[in-house]
Amino acid sequence: ESMTHGVWFRDWDNMPRARRPVGYPVFLGFFYAIFGANTTVLYSLSLLLFAGTVFLLYTLASQLFNPRAGFLAALLFSLYPLSIYSISLPLDEHLFLPVWFLGLTLLFKEIRGEPVRGAVWCYAILFGYATMTRTHTIFMPLVVAYAYFLIGRSWKKILSAVFIVLIIGQFINLPWIIRNYRQWGAYVPYTATFFTIYAANNPSVKRADNNGTTPKPGEEGYLPELGQAIADYNVPMMEKLAKRQTIR
């Protein structure tokens, strides 16, 4: 709800948050700054990104199999009720999918032997920004390395590709990291996540239930200090204690 009004990274109590990475809000905020913060802008961007995702799905499946498979993949995605309904929602995935798929499309072209100008730098920016949008693509430098290994690139080129994709991908996210460190004195590269990880995997969890909860008093693994840190939204302490408990 706050994102539809152009309010970023703060909750109802006006406290700063880092629940989500910065990529999609920055994208949406850029167009809000030009056209104003309203849902017409939101829906228009969602529709354009949806169309881009459909096109790239067609391209990827055509590269992997054939144009008929590409058409089928694009058709199924287009008709999937969740795909259609989600256009009305501000979701990271709208931006994440086309940015990630565009990088993969270029990578597949290289695998097939087609030249891609400035390929490694394109991967660094595309996969870096995709990871700023949804952290699932944090592993993409290794995917690029594996692809280059398969097509017989030298170890020097493989290692340099990994280095460039990894470092540039982090560099474009540097302002967000600095903001979080200035705010909490803690290294939060994308999202304050250890609390969520521990909530989903703590010893008291008996079944999958959304993101889970931290152990309550009397439950295995209950930690009063963590409970207090959560109540105070003390991000450095939450990250420190939840990380320790998760590792244990």
mmCIF file of all heavy atoms in Angstrom, residues 2-47:
data_model
loop_
_atom_site.group_PDB
_atom_site.id
_atom_site.type_symbol
_atom_site.label_atom_id
_atom_site.label_comp_id
_atom_site.label_asym_id
_atom_site.label_seq_id
_atom_site.Cartn_x
_atom_site.Cartn_y
_atom_site.Cartn_z
ATOM 1 N N SER A 2 1.918 1.272 0.816
ATOM 2 C CA SER A 2 2.776 2.458 0.866
ATOM 3 C C SER A 2 3.490 2.670 -0.461
ATOM 4 O O SER A 2 3.683 3.813 -0.898
ATOM 5 C CB SER A 2 3.788 2.340 2.007
ATOM 6 O OG SER A 2 4.689 1.269 1.768
ATOM 7 N N MET A 3 3.859 1.581 -1.141
ATOM 8 C CA MET A 3 4.566 1.714 -2.407
ATOM 9 C C MET A 3 3.697 2.352 -3.473
ATOM 10 O O MET A 3 4.186 3.092 -4.329
ATOM 11 C CB MET A 3 5.069 0.355 -2.879
ATOM 12 C CG MET A 3 6.242 -0.177 -2.082
ATOM 13 S SD MET A 3 6.859 -1.724 -2.739
ATOM 14 C CE MET A 3 7.506 -1.184 -4.305
ATOM 15 N N THR A 4 2.384 2.082 -3.457
ATOM 16 C CA THR A 4 1.504 2.678 -4.455
ATOM 17 C C THR A 4 1.419 4.190 -4.282
ATOM 18 O O THR A 4 1.022 4.910 -5.208
ATOM 19 C CB THR A 4 0.084 2.086 -4.374
ATOM 20 O OG1 THR A 4 -0.497 2.402 -3.101
ATOM 21 C CG2 THR A 4 0.104 0.590 -4.566
ATOM 22 N N HIS A 5 1.786 4.697 -3.103
ATOM 23 C CA HIS A 5 1.786 6.133 -2.849
ATOM 24 C C HIS A 5 3.191 6.728 -2.876
ATOM 25 O O HIS A 5 3.388 7.888 -2.520
ATOM 26 C CB HIS A 5 1.142 6.434 -1.492
ATOM 27 C CG HIS A 5 -0.311 6.094 -1.446
ATOM 28 N ND1 HIS A 5 -0.776 4.873 -0.983
ATOM 29 C CD2 HIS A 5 -1.410 6.793 -1.827
ATOM 30 C CE1 HIS A 5 -2.086 4.839 -1.070
ATOM 31 N NE2 HIS A 5 -2.500 5.987 -1.576
ATOM 32 N N GLY A 6 4.166 5.946 -3.285
ATOM 33 C CA GLY A 6 5.523 6.456 -3.382
ATOM 34 C C GLY A 6 6.222 6.627 -2.053
ATOM 35 O O GLY A 6 7.135 7.426 -1.916
ATOM 36 N N VAL A 7 5.808 5.874 -1.042
ATOM 37 C CA VAL A 7 6.458 5.910 0.269
ATOM 38 C C VAL A 7 7.369 4.692 0.361
ATOM 39 O O VAL A 7 6.905 3.560 0.271
ATOM 40 C CB VAL A 7 5.427 5.892 1.413
ATOM 41 C CG1 VAL A 7 6.136 5.933 2.759
ATOM 42 C CG2 VAL A 7 4.471 7.068 1.284
ATOM 43 N N TRP A 8 8.669 4.938 0.570
ATOM 44 C CA TRP A 8 9.632 3.854 0.440
ATOM 45 C C TRP A 8 10.319 3.532 1.769
ATOM 46 O O TRP A 8 10.730 4.419 2.486
ATOM 47 C CB TRP A 8 10.708 4.222 -0.579
ATOM 48 C CG TRP A 8 10.147 4.908 -1.781
ATOM 49 C CD1 TRP A 8 10.196 6.249 -2.061
ATOM 50 C CD2 TRP A 8 9.421 4.309 -2.841
ATOM 51 N NE1 TRP A 8 9.568 6.517 -3.240
ATOM 52 C CE2 TRP A 8 9.075 5.344 -3.746
ATOM 53 C CE3 TRP A 8 9.025 3.012 -3.135
ATOM 54 C CZ2 TRP A 8 8.363 5.121 -4.912
ATOM 55 C CZ3 TRP A 8 8.313 2.791 -4.290
ATOM 56 C CH2 TRP A 8 7.991 3.826 -5.165
ATOM 57 N N PHE A 9 10.456 2.256 2.056
ATOM 58 C CA PHE A 9 11.370 1.754 3.082
ATOM 59 C C PHE A 9 11.043 2.232 4.491
ATOM 60 O O PHE A 9 11.912 2.302 5.343
ATOM 61 C CB PHE A 9 12.818 2.117 2.743
ATOM 62 C CG PHE A 9 13.163 1.878 1.310
ATOM 63 C CD1 PHE A 9 13.612 2.903 0.501
ATOM 64 C CD2 PHE A 9 13.011 0.615 0.762
ATOM 65 C CE1 PHE A 9 13.911 2.674 -0.827
ATOM 66 C CE2 PHE A 9 13.319 0.377 -0.564
ATOM 67 C CZ PHE A 9 13.761 1.413 -1.355
ATOM 68 N N ARG A 10 9.788 2.560 4.735
ATOM 69 C CA ARG A 10 9.368 2.894 6.091
ATOM 70 C C ARG A 10 8.020 2.241 6.349
ATOM 71 O O ARG A 10 7.184 2.139 5.457
ATOM 72 C CB ARG A 10 9.265 4.412 6.300
ATOM 73 C CG ARG A 10 10.618 5.102 6.302
ATOM 74 C CD ARG A 10 10.535 6.588 6.592
ATOM 75 N NE ARG A 10 11.863 7.197 6.599
ATOM 76 C CZ ARG A 10 12.645 7.265 7.657
ATOM 77 N NH1 ARG A 10 12.224 6.799 8.820
ATOM 78 N NH2 ARG A 10 13.833 7.813 7.582
ATOM 79 N N ASP A 11 7.799 1.822 7.588
ATOM 80 C CA ASP A 11 6.533 1.200 7.959
ATOM 81 C C ASP A 11 5.553 2.240 8.477
ATOM 82 O O ASP A 11 5.834 3.443 8.496
ATOM 83 C CB ASP A 11 6.788 0.118 9.019
ATOM 84 C CG ASP A 11 7.125 -1.216 8.371
ATOM 85 O OD1 ASP A 11 7.130 -1.286 7.122
ATOM 86 O OD2 ASP A 11 7.394 -2.183 9.090
ATOM 87 N N TRP A 12 4.396 1.751 8.928
ATOM 88 C CA TRP A 12 3.332 2.646 9.394
ATOM 89 C C TRP A 12 3.790 3.564 10.521
ATOM 90 O O TRP A 12 3.286 4.668 10.694
ATOM 91 C CB TRP A 12 2.143 1.820 9.866
ATOM 92 C CG TRP A 12 2.503 0.873 10.992
ATOM 93 C CD1 TRP A 12 2.966 -0.409 10.862
ATOM 94 C CD2 TRP A 12 2.453 1.144 12.380
ATOM 95 N NE1 TRP A 12 3.213 -0.953 12.083
ATOM 96 C CE2 TRP A 12 2.899 -0.025 13.053
ATOM 97 C CE3 TRP A 12 2.076 2.245 13.151
ATOM 98 C CZ2 TRP A 12 2.974 -0.105 14.440
ATOM 99 C CZ3 TRP A 12 2.152 2.156 14.534
ATOM 100 C CH2 TRP A 12 2.599 0.988 15.151
ATOM 101 N N ASP A 13 4.793 3.119 11.301
ATOM 102 C CA ASP A 13 5.280 3.925 12.422
ATOM 103 C C ASP A 13 6.434 4.842 12.009
ATOM 104 O O ASP A 13 7.093 5.438 12.856
ATOM 105 C CB ASP A 13 5.732 3.024 13.565
ATOM 106 C CG ASP A 13 6.766 1.994 13.119
ATOM 107 O OD1 ASP A 13 7.112 1.987 11.924
ATOM 108 O OD2 ASP A 13 7.221 1.210 13.963
ATOM 109 N N ASN A 14 6.679 4.926 10.664
ATOM 110 C CA ASN A 14 7.726 5.779 10.099
ATOM 111 C C ASN A 14 9.137 5.319 10.446
ATOM 112 O O ASN A 14 10.088 6.076 10.314
ATOM 113 C CB ASN A 14 7.551 7.248 10.533
ATOM 114 C CG ASN A 14 8.182 8.203 9.519
ATOM 115 O OD1 ASN A 14 8.140 7.955 8.316
ATOM 116 N ND2 ASN A 14 8.760 9.301 10.002
ATOM 117 N N MET A 15 9.256 4.078 10.888
ATOM 118 C CA MET A 15 10.577 3.526 11.169
ATOM 119 C C MET A 15 11.186 2.979 9.881
ATOM 120 O O MET A 15 10.487 2.366 9.073
ATOM 121 C CB MET A 15 10.470 2.407 12.206
ATOM 122 C CG MET A 15 10.069 2.880 13.585
ATOM 123 S SD MET A 15 11.384 3.851 14.363
ATOM 124 C CE MET A 15 12.582 2.556 14.684
ATOM 125 N N PRO A 16 12.480 3.196 9.659
ATOM 126 C CA PRO A 16 13.127 2.669 8.450
ATOM 127 C C PRO A 16 13.137 1.150 8.447
ATOM 128 O O PRO A 16 13.287 0.513 9.482
ATOM 129 C CB PRO A 16 14.538 3.242 8.525
ATOM 130 C CG PRO A 16 14.757 3.528 9.962
ATOM 131 C CD PRO A 16 13.426 3.918 10.519
ATOM 132 N N ARG A 17 12.970 0.575 7.274
ATOM 133 C CA ARG A 17 12.931 -0.872 7.125
ATOM 134 C C ARG A 17 13.849 -1.300 5.982
ATOM 135 O O ARG A 17 14.186 -0.518 5.106
ATOM 136 C CB ARG A 17 11.501 -1.352 6.832
ATOM 137 C CG ARG A 17 10.512 -1.134 7.985
ATOM 138 C CD ARG A 17 10.848 -2.057 9.141
ATOM 139 N NE ARG A 17 9.837 -2.029 10.183
ATOM 140 C CZ ARG A 17 9.928 -1.339 11.311
ATOM 141 N NH1 ARG A 17 10.978 -0.566 11.512
ATOM 142 N NH2 ARG A 17 8.982 -1.397 12.226
ATOM 143 N N ALA A 18 14.219 -2.552 6.003
ATOM 144 C CA ALA A 18 14.983 -3.140 4.893
ATOM 145 C C ALA A 18 14.431 -4.541 4.627
ATOM 146 O O ALA A 18 15.167 -5.484 4.430
ATOM 147 C CB ALA A 18 16.471 -3.196 5.211
ATOM 148 N N ARG A 19 13.114 -4.629 4.622
ATOM 149 C CA ARG A 19 12.497 -5.948 4.440
ATOM 150 C C ARG A 19 12.689 -6.476 3.025
ATOM 151 O O ARG A 19 12.702 -7.670 2.798
ATOM 152 C CB ARG A 19 10.991 -5.877 4.736
ATOM 153 C CG ARG A 19 10.637 -5.769 6.193
ATOM 154 C CD ARG A 19 9.138 -5.947 6.417
ATOM 155 N NE ARG A 19 8.676 -7.245 5.970
ATOM 156 C CZ ARG A 19 7.973 -7.432 4.860
ATOM 157 N NH1 ARG A 19 7.685 -6.425 4.051
ATOM 158 N NH2 ARG A 19 7.564 -8.645 4.525
ATOM 159 N N ARG A 20 12.761 -5.560 2.055
ATOM 160 C CA ARG A 20 12.907 -5.954 0.669
ATOM 161 C C ARG A 20 14.130 -5.295 0.063
ATOM 162 O O ARG A 20 14.532 -4.206 0.480
ATOM 163 C CB ARG A 20 11.667 -5.537 -0.131
ATOM 164 C CG ARG A 20 10.424 -6.327 0.217
ATOM 165 C CD ARG A 20 10.440 -7.672 -0.465
ATOM 166 N NE ARG A 20 9.246 -8.456 -0.148
ATOM 167 C CZ ARG A 20 8.970 -9.635 -0.702
ATOM 168 N NH1 ARG A 20 9.799 -10.150 -1.590
ATOM 169 N NH2 ARG A 20 7.900 -10.295 -0.361
ATOM 170 N N PRO A 21 14.719 -5.888 -0.962
ATOM 171 C CA PRO A 21 15.816 -5.211 -1.669
ATOM 172 C C PRO A 21 15.314 -3.951 -2.367
ATOM 173 O O PRO A 21 14.119 -3.741 -2.540
ATOM 174 C CB PRO A 21 16.281 -6.272 -2.674
ATOM 175 C CG PRO A 21 15.786 -7.570 -2.131
ATOM 176 C CD PRO A 21 14.496 -7.244 -1.438
ATOM 177 N N VAL A 22 16.235 -3.139 -2.829
ATOM 178 C CA VAL A 22 15.917 -1.795 -3.289
ATOM 179 C C VAL A 22 15.544 -1.723 -4.776
ATOM 180 O O VAL A 22 15.010 -0.718 -5.236
ATOM 181 C CB VAL A 22 17.115 -0.859 -2.995
ATOM 182 C CG1 VAL A 22 18.260 -1.138 -3.939
ATOM 183 C CG2 VAL A 22 16.700 0.597 -3.029
ATOM 184 N N GLY A 23 15.815 -2.779 -5.555
ATOM 185 C CA GLY A 23 15.699 -2.696 -7.014
ATOM 186 C C GLY A 23 14.353 -2.250 -7.544
ATOM 187 O O GLY A 23 14.269 -1.291 -8.325
ATOM 188 N N TYR A 24 13.280 -2.926 -7.155
ATOM 189 C CA TYR A 24 11.960 -2.586 -7.692
ATOM 190 C C TYR A 24 11.457 -1.233 -7.204
ATOM 191 O O TYR A 24 10.941 -0.446 -8.009
ATOM 192 C CB TYR A 24 10.959 -3.694 -7.351
ATOM 193 C CG TYR A 24 9.558 -3.422 -7.848
ATOM 194 C CD1 TYR A 24 9.271 -3.403 -9.214
ATOM 195 C CD2 TYR A 24 8.511 -3.193 -6.958
ATOM 196 C CE1 TYR A 24 7.992 -3.154 -9.671
ATOM 197 C CE2 TYR A 24 7.234 -2.950 -7.402
ATOM 198 C CZ TYR A 24 6.969 -2.932 -8.762
ATOM 199 O OH TYR A 24 5.699 -2.680 -9.209
ATOM 200 N N PRO A 25 11.587 -0.901 -5.920
ATOM 201 C CA PRO A 25 11.163 0.434 -5.491
ATOM 202 C C PRO A 25 11.901 1.569 -6.206
ATOM 203 O O PRO A 25 11.306 2.600 -6.502
ATOM 204 C CB PRO A 25 11.473 0.433 -3.986
ATOM 205 C CG PRO A 25 11.364 -0.995 -3.592
ATOM 206 C CD PRO A 25 11.924 -1.744 -4.760
ATOM 207 N N VAL A 26 13.194 1.400 -6.488
ATOM 208 C CA VAL A 26 13.934 2.423 -7.224
ATOM 209 C C VAL A 26 13.371 2.568 -8.640
ATOM 210 O O VAL A 26 13.179 3.682 -9.151
ATOM 211 C CB VAL A 26 15.436 2.082 -7.267
ATOM 212 C CG1 VAL A 26 16.160 2.923 -8.319
ATOM 213 C CG2 VAL A 26 16.061 2.304 -5.897
ATOM 214 N N PHE A 27 13.095 1.451 -9.281
ATOM 215 C CA PHE A 27 12.513 1.462 -10.633
ATOM 216 C C PHE A 27 11.166 2.168 -10.632
ATOM 217 O O PHE A 27 10.916 3.074 -11.434
ATOM 218 C CB PHE A 27 12.370 0.016 -11.125
ATOM 219 C CG PHE A 27 11.615 -0.132 -12.414
ATOM 220 C CD1 PHE A 27 12.262 0.058 -13.635
ATOM 221 C CD2 PHE A 27 10.269 -0.472 -12.413
ATOM 222 C CE1 PHE A 27 11.573 -0.089 -14.836
ATOM 223 C CE2 PHE A 27 9.578 -0.616 -13.606
ATOM 224 C CZ PHE A 27 10.225 -0.426 -14.822
ATOM 225 N N LEU A 28 10.300 1.767 -9.717
ATOM 226 C CA LEU A 28 8.974 2.366 -9.639
ATOM 227 C C LEU A 28 9.070 3.839 -9.247
ATOM 228 O O LEU A 28 8.367 4.691 -9.802
ATOM 229 C CB LEU A 28 8.130 1.599 -8.620
ATOM 230 C CG LEU A 28 6.618 1.865 -8.587
ATOM 231 C CD1 LEU A 28 5.999 1.637 -9.951
ATOM 232 C CD2 LEU A 28 5.957 0.967 -7.547
ATOM 233 N N GLY A 29 9.962 4.144 -8.313
ATOM 234 C CA GLY A 29 10.127 5.521 -7.866
ATOM 235 C C GLY A 29 10.610 6.443 -8.976
ATOM 236 O O GLY A 29 10.236 7.625 -9.017
ATOM 237 N N PHE A 30 11.437 5.925 -9.882
ATOM 238 C CA PHE A 30 11.918 6.731 -11.002
ATOM 239 C C PHE A 30 10.753 7.221 -11.859
ATOM 240 O O PHE A 30 10.671 8.403 -12.221
ATOM 241 C CB PHE A 30 12.897 5.909 -11.844
ATOM 242 C CG PHE A 30 13.335 6.584 -13.111
ATOM 243 C CD1 PHE A 30 14.316 7.566 -13.085
ATOM 244 C CD2 PHE A 30 12.769 6.241 -14.326
ATOM 245 C CE1 PHE A 30 14.732 8.191 -14.256
ATOM 246 C CE2 PHE A 30 13.169 6.867 -15.497
ATOM 247 C CZ PHE A 30 14.149 7.841 -15.464
ATOM 248 N N PHE A 31 9.837 6.325 -12.153
ATOM 249 C CA PHE A 31 8.690 6.718 -12.982
ATOM 250 C C PHE A 31 7.665 7.533 -12.188
ATOM 251 O O PHE A 31 6.986 8.390 -12.756
ATOM 252 C CB PHE A 31 8.042 5.470 -13.588
ATOM 253 C CG PHE A 31 8.871 4.852 -14.674
ATOM 254 C CD1 PHE A 31 9.724 3.806 -14.401
ATOM 255 C CD2 PHE A 31 8.814 5.349 -15.975
ATOM 256 C CE1 PHE A 31 10.508 3.246 -15.407
ATOM 257 C CE2 PHE A 31 9.585 4.801 -16.978
ATOM 258 C CZ PHE A 31 10.439 3.749 -16.700
ATOM 259 N N TYR A 32 7.560 7.275 -10.893
ATOM 260 C CA TYR A 32 6.705 8.120 -10.057
ATOM 261 C C TYR A 32 7.212 9.563 -10.048
ATOM 262 O O TYR A 32 6.429 10.509 -10.029
ATOM 263 C CB TYR A 32 6.677 7.584 -8.627
ATOM 264 C CG TYR A 32 5.681 6.479 -8.385
ATOM 265 C CD1 TYR A 32 4.940 5.934 -9.419
ATOM 266 C CD2 TYR A 32 5.480 5.971 -7.100
ATOM 267 C CE1 TYR A 32 4.037 4.921 -9.197
ATOM 268 C CE2 TYR A 32 4.561 4.967 -6.859
ATOM 269 C CZ TYR A 32 3.842 4.430 -7.910
ATOM 270 O OH TYR A 32 2.936 3.442 -7.680
ATOM 271 N N ALA A 33 8.533 9.719 -10.035
ATOM 272 C CA ALA A 33 9.108 11.067 -10.023
ATOM 273 C C ALA A 33 8.767 11.821 -11.302
ATOM 274 O O ALA A 33 8.655 13.053 -11.303
ATOM 275 C CB ALA A 33 10.625 10.982 -9.852
ATOM 276 N N ILE A 34 8.592 11.098 -12.406
ATOM 277 C CA ILE A 34 8.279 11.733 -13.693
ATOM 278 C C ILE A 34 6.777 11.951 -13.866
ATOM 279 O O ILE A 34 6.327 13.046 -14.227
ATOM 280 C CB ILE A 34 8.821 10.877 -14.855
ATOM 281 C CG1 ILE A 34 10.342 10.754 -14.764
ATOM 282 C CG2 ILE A 34 8.406 11.470 -16.203
ATOM 283 C CD1 ILE A 34 10.924 9.788 -15.784
ATOM 284 N N PHE A 35 5.980 10.912 -13.574
ATOM 285 C CA PHE A 35 4.555 10.955 -13.880
ATOM 286 C C PHE A 35 3.666 11.121 -12.653
ATOM 287 O O PHE A 35 2.447 11.272 -12.777
ATOM 288 C CB PHE A 35 4.142 9.665 -14.612
ATOM 289 C CG PHE A 35 4.877 9.455 -15.903
ATOM 290 C CD1 PHE A 35 5.853 8.480 -16.008
ATOM 291 C CD2 PHE A 35 4.591 10.225 -17.018
ATOM 292 C CE1 PHE A 35 6.540 8.273 -17.197
ATOM 293 C CE2 PHE A 35 5.261 10.031 -18.214
ATOM 294 C CZ PHE A 35 6.240 9.051 -18.306
ATOM 295 N N GLY A 36 4.270 11.071 -11.464
ATOM 296 C CA GLY A 36 3.476 11.167 -10.249
ATOM 297 C C GLY A 36 3.183 9.794 -9.671
ATOM 298 O O GLY A 36 3.129 8.793 -10.395
ATOM 299 N N ALA A 37 2.986 9.752 -8.357
ATOM 300 C CA ALA A 37 2.725 8.479 -7.666
ATOM 301 C C ALA A 37 1.242 8.165 -7.743
ATOM 302 O O ALA A 37 0.434 8.685 -6.975
ATOM 303 C CB ALA A 37 3.183 8.566 -6.216
ATOM 304 N N ASN A 38 0.864 7.319 -8.678
ATOM 305 C CA ASN A 38 -0.530 6.901 -8.801
ATOM 306 C C ASN A 38 -0.593 5.510 -9.402
ATOM 307 O O ASN A 38 0.365 5.039 -10.029
ATOM 308 C CB ASN A 38 -1.343 7.898 -9.633
ATOM 309 C CG ASN A 38 -0.804 8.040 -11.045
ATOM 310 O OD1 ASN A 38 -0.995 7.169 -11.874
ATOM 311 N ND2 ASN A 38 -0.098 9.155 -11.302
ATOM 312 N N THR A 39 -1.703 4.861 -9.226
ATOM 313 C CA THR A 39 -1.811 3.460 -9.636
ATOM 314 C C THR A 39 -1.843 3.282 -11.150
ATOM 315 O O THR A 39 -1.558 2.197 -11.648
ATOM 316 C CB THR A 39 -3.066 2.823 -9.021
ATOM 317 O OG1 THR A 39 -4.206 3.647 -9.302
ATOM 318 C CG2 THR A 39 -2.912 2.688 -7.508
ATOM 319 N N THR A 40 -2.176 4.335 -11.897
ATOM 320 C CA THR A 40 -2.131 4.220 -13.361
ATOM 321 C C THR A 40 -0.704 3.952 -13.829
ATOM 322 O O THR A 40 -0.462 3.127 -14.709
ATOM 323 C CB THR A 40 -2.660 5.506 -14.016
ATOM 324 O OG1 THR A 40 -4.012 5.733 -13.602
ATOM 325 C CG2 THR A 40 -2.619 5.397 -15.537
ATOM 326 N N VAL A 41 0.248 4.650 -13.222
ATOM 327 C CA VAL A 41 1.663 4.411 -13.535
ATOM 328 C C VAL A 41 2.043 2.987 -13.148
ATOM 329 O O VAL A 41 2.710 2.270 -13.908
ATOM 330 C CB VAL A 41 2.553 5.427 -12.800
ATOM 331 C CG1 VAL A 41 4.033 5.127 -13.044
ATOM 332 C CG2 VAL A 41 2.223 6.845 -13.240
ATOM 333 N N LEU A 42 1.616 2.569 -11.969
ATOM 334 C CA LEU A 42 1.922 1.220 -11.486
ATOM 335 C C LEU A 42 1.398 0.152 -12.434
ATOM 336 O O LEU A 42 2.131 -0.762 -12.843
ATOM 337 C CB LEU A 42 1.317 1.026 -10.095
ATOM 338 C CG LEU A 42 1.360 -0.383 -9.519
ATOM 339 C CD1 LEU A 42 2.790 -0.773 -9.169
ATOM 340 C CD2 LEU A 42 0.473 -0.490 -8.285
ATOM 341 N N TYR A 43 0.114 0.262 -12.821
ATOM 342 C CA TYR A 43 -0.483 -0.752 -13.690
ATOM 343 C C TYR A 43 0.147 -0.736 -15.075
ATOM 344 O O TYR A 43 0.355 -1.796 -15.686
ATOM 345 C CB TYR A 43 -1.989 -0.519 -13.812
ATOM 346 C CG TYR A 43 -2.749 -0.625 -12.510
ATOM 347 C CD1 TYR A 43 -3.931 0.077 -12.316
ATOM 348 C CD2 TYR A 43 -2.273 -1.423 -11.470
ATOM 349 C CE1 TYR A 43 -4.633 -0.023 -11.119
ATOM 350 C CE2 TYR A 43 -2.960 -1.519 -10.280
ATOM 351 C CZ TYR A 43 -4.148 -0.817 -10.100
ATOM 352 O OH TYR A 43 -4.828 -0.908 -8.924
ATOM 353 N N SER A 44 0.464 0.454 -15.586
ATOM 354 C CA SER A 44 1.071 0.549 -16.913
ATOM 355 C C SER A 44 2.436 -0.113 -16.940
ATOM 356 O O SER A 44 2.761 -0.870 -17.862
ATOM 357 C CB SER A 44 1.195 2.018 -17.326
ATOM 358 O OG SER A 44 -0.078 2.643 -17.366
ATOM 359 N N LEU A 45 3.242 0.154 -15.905
ATOM 360 C CA LEU A 45 4.563 -0.468 -15.829
ATOM 361 C C LEU A 45 4.447 -1.981 -15.676
ATOM 362 O O LEU A 45 5.201 -2.737 -16.301
ATOM 363 C CB LEU A 45 5.347 0.124 -14.660
ATOM 364 C CG LEU A 45 5.821 1.564 -14.823
ATOM 365 C CD1 LEU A 45 6.441 2.071 -13.519
ATOM 366 C CD2 LEU A 45 6.826 1.692 -15.961
ATOM 367 N N SER A 46 3.512 -2.413 -14.845
ATOM 368 C CA SER A 46 3.325 -3.860 -14.653
ATOM 369 C C SER A 46 2.958 -4.534 -15.963
ATOM 370 O O SER A 46 3.444 -5.630 -16.275
ATOM 371 C CB SER A 46 2.241 -4.115 -13.607
ATOM 372 O OG SER A 46 2.624 -3.618 -12.347
ATOM 373 N N LEU A 47 2.106 -3.877 -16.739
ATOM 374 C CA LEU A 47 1.678 -4.454 -18.013
ATOM 375 C C LEU A 47 2.834 -4.514 -19.002
ATOM 376 O O LEU A 47 3.021 -5.517 -19.707
ATOM 377 C CB LEU A 47 0.522 -3.637 -18.591
ATOM 378 C CG LEU A 47 -0.195 -4.240 -19.799
ATOM 379 C CD1 LEU A 47 -0.792 -5.601 -19.449
ATOM 380 C CD2 LEU A 47 -1.282 -3.289 -20.290
#
